[in-house]
Amino acid sequence: MTTTGGVELKRGLNGVYLDNTLISYIDGNIGKLLYRGYDIHDLAEKSTFEEVLYLLMYGSLPTKDQLQKHEAFMRENRAVPPQIFQVVELTKEAHPMDVLRTAVSALSAFDKEVDDFSPDATRRKGLRLTGQAATILAGLFRIRKGLKPVPPSKTLNHAGNFLYMMFDKNPDPDEMKLMDVDFILHTDHSTNASAFAARVTASTLADLHCAVVSGIATLKGPLHGGAAEAVMKMSMDIGKPERAEEYVKELISRGGRIMGFGHRVYRAEDPRAQHLRERARVLGERRGQPEWFQILQAVVKAMEPYQKRGIFVNVDFYAGAVYHLLNIPEDLFIPIFALGRIPGYAVQVLEQFEHNQLIRPLLNYIGPMDLQYVPMDQRR
Ligand code: SDX
């Protein structure tokens, strides 16, 4: 959009390339996503969250020995200092995203490497924060029910440990796999709003904890990470599949947005969605609650006319049903997105630090110029 002054505005920085990247490749027209050159379809079905984090952090798939050392580091670095659960206790009435953001911020006071900006320290801090964020969130889930937090497992993988700390029982293997796939799908997505916020913070040479807090704060919005929670609320409002079409028509006629649909970059189906679609259906059957998946599919059908405008399901559309069927309360849905995305923030910060330049765009001033200052007694 060109203004009268001839300035070319790019509102929402739509279509603007900030820098080169070696992390993720997205082709929105065909719905393609690569992490370090590997297709999300392969990683979701054949890899693990731990292996994907190694790939993103180091740029190549690990050897067996590298993966074992990496997994051991993650298993050993999940605990949080007791003071952090005091922070959780004090803030437990707030939205879980606010509790998570506050507790991660407090962690910076206890991390000996907080001021170490070296690549290895940044990777270690990113992996530590990934495990600690899960410990914080599971701890909140229990503290607000009047239960004690469950200490992290030293044997389960990240996804299994999260479910174990939440429900204090060894997780079902299928549900562990489902959570692992969900974390893989949410790990990175180039300059999504919250990763961009993390990069802006890192570009001032603020530390990784600051950048991750910026990311978590930004992710909370319903236009971004908040969609999964909104999709579940929408499904509950719709109530049964036969009401979906009327609901969609009515909401859109009021200028509303169908949560879990549309994307700033994708003009085809978000390639991540399919990896939760079938799993959401199977889990619903297993839990004797097929209605949620049926409602979602009725919404998909009602939204078909919008495909010609490039509006398709995105990663969040089925995630909400999966979390609900795992007996996770709605207000923990966005924080679970954050659990997958925190390592993605760390990788983006790692790359930003490698060839940093302060990120500082412009605003085009269109207000009055050179006004005379009027003393109080002359103002009307
Ligand atoms: C994530 O950026 C990332 O990579 C994010 C993410 C990641 O991994 O980090 O992929 C995760 O955030 C996924 C998106 C989750 N958010 C939602 O599901 C919320 C619902 N979606 C919309 O609010 C919307 O699609 C956005 C915000 C995601 C993208 O919107 P844009 O690119 O700013 O486009 P827009 O809002 O200007 O919409 C363009 C047109 C509009 O029609 P017109 O006003 O031009 O007539 O498309 C319509 C919109 O009305 N439209 C929708 C719609 N999304 C866009 N209409 C109905 N329902 C929708 N969901």
Side-chain angles (χ1 to χ4, degrees), residues 115-380:
D115 294 323
D116 186 337
F117 285 57
S118 67
D120 282 346
T122 302
R123 290 189 188 99
R124 284 193 297 271
K125 287 189 283 185
L127 294 174
R128 240 187 330 266
L129 280 170
T130 300
Q132 291 172 322
T135 304
I136 289 164
L137 191 61
L140 167 65
F141 173 72
R142 297 182 63 80
I143 284 170
R144 67 183 192 179
K145 289 156 76 110
L147 301 170
K148 281 194 175 315
V150 173
S153 156
K154 293 210 170 177
T155 54
L156 289 166
N157 69 5
H158 179 80
N161 175 53
F162 174 60
L163 294 172
Y164 163 69
M165 294 188 294
M166 287 270 289
F167 302 112
D168 194 15
K169 63 180 172 45
N170 269 331
D172 170 279
D174 290 339
E175 292 175 12
M176 258 172 70
K177 175 64 181 165
L178 177 49
M179 210 64 238
D180 192 67
V181 170
D182 181 77
F183 284 143
I184 290 172
L185 297 173
H186 282 90
T187 309
D188 187 68
H189 210 245
S190 196
T191 38
N192 59 89
S194 54
F196 179 65
R199 275 192 179 246
V200 171
T201 305
S203 80
T204 71
L205 297 185
D207 60 69
L208 178 69
H209 283 75
C210 293
V212 170
V213 168
S214 294
I216 295 172
T218 307
L219 185 66
K220 183 181 176 188
L223 293 187
H224 185 13
E229 181 177 338
V231 171
M232 201 60 223
K233 287 197 169 83
M234 172 181 73
S235 306
M236 291 172 172
D237 287 350
I238 292 172
K240 43 185 186 237
E242 47 273 27
R243 291 195 58 240
E245 185 164 9
E246 181 53 34
Y247 180 96
V248 164
K249 276 208 182 85
E250 200 276 325
L251 181 62
I252 293 185
S253 67
R254 282 192 283 115
R257 293 277 199 281
I258 303 299
M259 295 291 118
F261 271 84
H263 198 278
R264 172 57 62 82
V265 177
Y266 289 124
R267 293 295 171 263
E269 185 174 284
D270 182 331
R272 300 168 291 180
Q274 70 184 63
H275 297 285
L276 292 177
R277 179 166 39 232
E278 180 55 15
R279 289 182 167 91
R281 186 191 65 75
V282 169
L283 184 60
E285 300 289 340
R286 272 185 62 191
R287 291 284 174 117
Q289 298 179 54
E291 64 276 16
W292 301 116
F293 184 76
Q294 290 162 0
I295 290 170
L296 292 177
Q297 290 308 90
V299 172
V300 169
K301 182 127 187 63
M303 285 295 284
E304 271 172 5
Y306 292 86
Q307 289 184 4
K308 57 179 175 299
R309 292 174 53 190
I311 301 169
F312 292 81
V313 291
N314 59 50
V315 66
D316 293 319
F317 186 67
Y318 296 102
V322 165
Y323 305 149
H324 178 77
L325 289 162
L326 289 175
N327 296 322
I328 296 170
E330 278 78 64
D331 65 356
L332 294 194
F333 289 8
I334 315 173
I336 289 178
F337 188 152
L339 296 190
R341 187 53 55 89
I342 283 170
Y345 298 148
V347 177
Q348 296 276 347
V349 167
L350 203 57
E351 188 171 75
Q352 183 68 31
F353 283 160
E354 272 163 15
H355 44 269
N356 184 48
Q357 185 160 1
L358 178 68
I359 298 172
R360 198 267 186 232
L362 299 170
L363 281 172
N364 179 43
Y365 178 76
I366 54 170
M369 299 288 286
D370 306 321
L371 297 175
Q372 291 300 312
Y373 184 80
V374 180
M376 185 57 82
D377 59 5
Q378 294 173 31
R379 292 178 203 169
R380 292 290 166 265

Side-chain angles (χ1 to χ4, degrees), residues 23-195:
I23 304 171
S24 290
Y25 169 78
I26 301 172
D27 181 336
N29 293 319
I30 59 171
K32 186 182 182 82
L33 170 61
L34 309 179
Y35 287 169
R36 297 283 189 193
Y38 293 88
D39 198 299
I40 194 68
H41 296 313
D42 286 336
L43 296 173
E45 297 305 327
K46 300 172 187 163
S47 186
T48 65
F49 182 59
E50 281 81 353
E51 183 176 78
V52 165
L53 294 200
Y54 187 98
L55 170 65
L56 286 168
M57 292 272 189
Y58 293 93
S60 58
L61 288 173
T63 61
K64 193 162 184 224
D65 182 50
Q66 288 168 333
L67 183 58
Q68 282 171 349
K69 286 198 177 83
H70 171 70
E71 288 171 336
F73 178 86
M74 289 190 72
R75 284 197 302 270
E76 290 303 318
N77 285 273
R78 294 166 165 167
V80 297
Q83 296 89 329
I84 299 302
F85 283 133
Q86 291 168 2
V87 171
V88 171
E89 179 62 45
L90 286 170
T91 58
K92 66 187 178 186
E93 300 305 325
H95 189 287
M97 276 299 267
D98 300 335
V99 179
L100 180 62
R101 168 172 46 79
T102 307
V104 167
S105 194
L107 273 174
S108 60
F110 302 92
D111 193 314
K112 294 183 182 55
E113 296 191 298
V114 67
D115 294 323
D116 186 337
F117 285 57
S118 67
D120 282 346
T122 302
R123 290 189 188 99
R124 284 193 297 271
K125 287 189 283 185
L127 294 174
R128 240 187 330 266
L129 280 170
T130 300
Q132 291 172 322
T135 304
I136 289 164
L137 191 61
L140 167 65
F141 173 72
R142 297 182 63 80
I143 284 170
R144 67 183 192 179
K145 289 156 76 110
L147 301 170
K148 281 194 175 315
V150 173
S153 156
K154 293 210 170 177
T155 54
L156 289 166
N157 69 5
H158 179 80
N161 175 53
F162 174 60
L163 294 172
Y164 163 69
M165 294 188 294
M166 287 270 289
F167 302 112
D168 194 15
K169 63 180 172 45
N170 269 331
D172 170 279
D174 290 339
E175 292 175 12
M176 258 172 70
K177 175 64 181 165
L178 177 49
M179 210 64 238
D180 192 67
V181 170
D182 181 77
F183 284 143
I184 290 172
L185 297 173
H186 282 90
T187 309
D188 187 68
H189 210 245
S190 196
T191 38
N192 59 89
S194 54

